[in-house]
Amino acid sequence: MSGAAYESVIGLEVHVQLATRTKLFCGCLNVYGADANTNVCSVCTGQPGALPVLNGFALELAVRAGLALGCAIASRTKFDRKNYFYPDLPKGYQISQLERPVNGEGSLRFVNEAGEERVVRIARAHLEEDAGKTMHPDGDRSSLVDLNRAGIPLLEIVSAPDLRTPQEAYRYLTELKRRLRYARVSECDMEKGSLRCDANVSIRPAGATELGTRTEIKNLNSFRNVERALAHEIERQTAVVEEGGSVVQETRTWREDEERTETLRSKEEAEDYRYFPDPDLPEFELEEERVDAIRAALPEMPDVKRARYVGSLGIPEATADVLTADRDAAEWFDACVAALPDGGDAKGVANAVTGVVLALANDQGVSIADLRLTPERLVEVVGLVDDGTISRQAARKVIAELDAGDEAPAEVVERLGLAQVSDEDALGATVDEVIAAQEKVVEDYRGGNENALNALVGGVMKATKGKANPQLARELLIRRLGGAGG
Ligand code: ADP
Ligand code: MG
Ligand code: ZN
């Protein structure tokens, strides 16, 4: 049988660290990169008698995430103990949610690599605490443990096995991250560990409805590696089946250096977690008014924004994608649209934001929201381009100057002498000079060489030190020389 006889089935388990100030059940700070064991207390190190108190803001962020993912929010929720022994887990159990997760079923919509709209179901998204970190210093026979991370709030988002290709997994993750960042739930930075992903994958004969035996891949440190690891794992499973064997349910690890997955532990070694309700954290009600208030405070989600940009503002899809990739950029653009006069050039503004302003922020290593340039000023500059006062090229300079000082656009144009020569008489004289000086090029043009016209426009631009309105220069040249071959 050929490889195309099989289809792959993928489900992702994503952990995100919630952007709270403090941990899930104690007042220790939730910060990245602090000295080892400096953000710890009797609760998060599991001292006898210490009692957990739920962080209300963590709960709010979990609900916010649930709403951003279209999840049904539980009316009652509770915490359970998941028991296992590991040096990074001081209590001997992790507080998690088994039976009544804060967020029930939801879904995530995205466009896949074939351009098809896909809706992937989310099975649940529950709260739990993070574990500490063990370290094994090189050349040392001892191991170290850092409990700063122990007790940091996590949301585990479990997808249904609805993804079909590694590329879809990549796109699902990208959209998930975009939504969670819009909702300001988490940084979702895989490099800093604030987003982690375990990938489950199986294969089955194409057209089958039953699920095949899956493996789970851990230690994935980027979306690209999730995609790569899945592709390799699908290849491996397919080879196993084609050779007459069967896939063994197990946990595998991605060896980035060797571009392959390898067995970490088999199903037989899988732990029994002996879950039971945490007696220190009684079940409680999530009031509807509280959920409604959180819903009301959610920003417009990126897919809705994108549809609005394309549909009612006439912005090209690719530009709308760039604008909505980041909430700060989208809101900065929204502020531009708000400042736009009636019938203003939204598309021109969108191009300036994606083509110039985002690059400016990027060069400075800051968010677009922290630029000195304001949306109102940018709209003025685009207006100057549209009415022919300055060229697109000059607009770039003006924008950079606006971000460096407190001048108004018109002042920058004046100071740098960037106003275009759009006056026919003034430009006509220069056009005549260029025609007289470039006999050979004029001859080429008259002989039918259209490119020669560009050279002549270039000549006019050079003679005016870039200030000529290139459109007008072209028109005047054609008027004087007649059409090509004329
Ligand atoms: P567990 O309780 O062992 O963690 P779950 O049923 O919660 O198992 O599933 C964990 C993840 O594995 C989910 O994202 C789910 O979609 C995915 N999954 C389950 N079965 C399969 C399968 N046969 N093939 C691919 N993914 C699967
Ligand atoms: Mg699981
Ligand atoms: Zn603590």
Side-chain angles (χ1 to χ4, degrees):
M1 252 194 273
S2 82
Y6 296 98
E7 105 175 323
S8 48
V9 173
I10 297 163
L12 301 179
E13 293 167 283
V14 173
H15 286 89
V16 295
Q17 286 184 340
L18 301 179
T20 53
R21 197 179 60 83
T22 56
K23 293 186 181 180
L24 187 53
F25 298 113
C26 63
C28 292
L29 292 182
N30 169 10
V31 288
Y32 177 80
D35 287 343
N37 298 307
T38 51
N39 291 312
V40 293
C41 73
S42 57
V43 174
C44 56
T45 59
Q47 304 304 309
L51 289 172
V53 176
L54 178 62
N55 178 338
F57 187 53
L59 179 67
E60 176 176 334
L61 290 184
V63 171
R64 228 193 257 178
L67 292 171
L69 302 173
C71 292
I73 312 298
S75 51
R76 295 184 73 78
T77 186
K78 75 175 176 77
F79 290 93
D80 303 284
R81 291 186 180 179
K82 178 179 180 179
N83 299 281
Y84 64 92
F85 292 98
Y86 201 74
D88 64 9
L89 193 72
K91 295 195 292 292
Y93 62 85
Q94 176 194 29
I95 304 179
S96 180
Q97 300 194 293
L98 181 68
E99 287 171 348
R100 289 183 176 275
V102 60
N103 301 306
E105 280 181 24
S107 63
L108 195 67
R109 195 180 289 267
F110 61 94
V111 175
N112 76 4
E113 68 278 12
E116 301 156 347
E117 177 149 301
R118 299 278 285 117
V119 180
V120 168
R121 289 170 300 157
I122 286 163
R124 56 195 271 136
H126 64 262
L127 266 172
E128 61 186 28
E129 57 179 346
D130 209 343
K133 235 181 199 167
T134 52
M135 289 156 293
H136 314 285
D138 273 348
D140 194 332
R141 295 189 52 189
S142 60
S143 291
L144 300 174
V145 62
D146 175 6
L147 296 178
N148 282 344
R149 206 178 65 178
I152 283 180
L154 293 178
L155 190 73
E156 178 173 349
I157 303 153
V158 182
S159 86
D162 287 352
L163 295 156
R164 290 293 172 268
T165 64
Q167 292 84 350
E168 282 190 2
Y170 181 89
R171 286 174 181 240
Y172 167 89
L173 289 170
T174 304
E175 179 59 15
L176 183 70
K177 172 174 175 170
R178 189 167 73 145
R179 281 178 171 262
L180 296 179
R181 285 182 56 94
Y182 261 65
R184 305 235 195 274
V185 161
S186 171
E187 288 291 314
C188 296
D189 185 343
M190 251 187 149
E191 268 173 36
K192 291 183 180 169
S194 62
L195 186 151
R196 308 195 279 271
C197 175
D198 299 334
N200 298 272
V201 58
S202 59
I203 58 167
R204 63 184 176 189
T209 49
E210 253 172 70
L211 292 173
T213 303
R214 72 173 143 135
T215 60
E216 179 178 13
I217 314 168
K218 286 191 178 293
N219 299 324
L220 299 163
N221 59 10
S222 69
F223 291 177
R224 278 295 166 217
N225 273 333
V226 172
E227 186 181 343
R228 274 191 211 119
L230 282 168
H232 279 85
E233 181 58 13
I234 290 164
E235 237 173 66
R236 187 193 67 85
Q237 289 185 9
T238 305
V240 167
V241 172
E242 283 181 343
E243 283 159 19
S246 39
V247 173
V248 179
Q249 182 169 347
E250 61 184 0
T251 302
R252 301 179 67 86
T253 185
W254 170 241
R255 295 289 302 266
E256 185 177 3
D257 44 346
E258 297 172 26
E259 288 259 319
R260 64 186 185 87
T261 65
E262 74 179 19
T263 301
L264 197 64
R265 56 176 178 267
S266 70
K267 176 83 154 97
E268 286 69 45
E269 300 161 51
E271 293 111 312
D272 168 8
Y273 294 117
R274 294 174 296 120
Y275 276 98
F276 65 87
D278 193 314
D280 295 335
L281 293 158
E283 184 173 314
F284 63 98
E285 194 184 335
L286 259 171
E287 296 86 5
E288 226 176 280
E289 304 85 78
R290 187 164 175 202
V291 174
D292 287 343
I294 297 170
R295 183 183 287 113
L298 271 181
E300 185 179 34
M301 281 292 132
D303 55 332
V304 179
K305 257 191 206 303
R306 184 184 186 280
R308 182 166 60 82
Y309 291 173
V310 174
S312 49
L313 295 177
I315 288 164
E317 294 194 347
T319 310
D321 282 338
V322 177
L323 285 174
T324 53
D326 173 65
R327 178 172 160 189
D328 284 342
E331 291 185 344
W332 207 90
F333 174 67
D334 284 337
C336 290
V337 174
L340 210 58
D342 276 348
D345 179 12
K347 205 170 137 188
V349 172
N351 286 334
V353 172
T354 56
V356 186
V357 184
L358 280 175
L360 198 65
N362 206 29
D363 287 347
Q364 297 176 23
V366 300
S367 160
I368 188 169
D370 297 328
L371 288 178
R372 195 159 177 174
L373 176 72
T374 63
E376 292 75 18
R377 291 297 200 206
L378 183 75
V379 167
E380 285 180 52
V381 176
V382 172
L384 292 176
V385 174
D386 285 345
D387 70 14
T389 306
I390 57 173
S391 66
R392 231 165 265 285
Q393 215 39 48
R396 281 179 179 273
K397 275 190 210 158
V398 176
I399 291 168
E401 290 292 315
L402 290 177
D403 194 54
D406 289 318
E407 285 168 295
E411 289 168 341
V412 176
V413 170
E414 171 74 32
R415 176 166 60 81
L416 299 182
L418 292 170
Q420 291 192 124
V421 180
S422 295
D423 177 73
E424 281 201 24
D425 295 337
L427 205 53
T430 311
V431 167
D432 290 337
E433 282 165 25
V434 170
I435 288 173
Q438 306 211 27
E439 275 174 39
K440 171 82 177 62
V441 186
V442 169
E443 214 171 282
D444 283 353
Y445 175 69
R446 289 212 160 108
N449 182 352
E450 284 281 356
N451 279 335
L453 185 62
N454 293 334
L456 293 171
V457 173
V460 175
M461 296 308 291
K462 197 170 166 200
T464 57
K465 298 199 170 67
K467 285 191 219 161
N469 178 335
Q471 208 51 46
L472 183 62
R474 178 174 296 267
E475 267 173 45
L476 292 176
L477 281 161
I478 291 174
R479 221 181 287 163
R480 280 168 170 67
L481 300 173

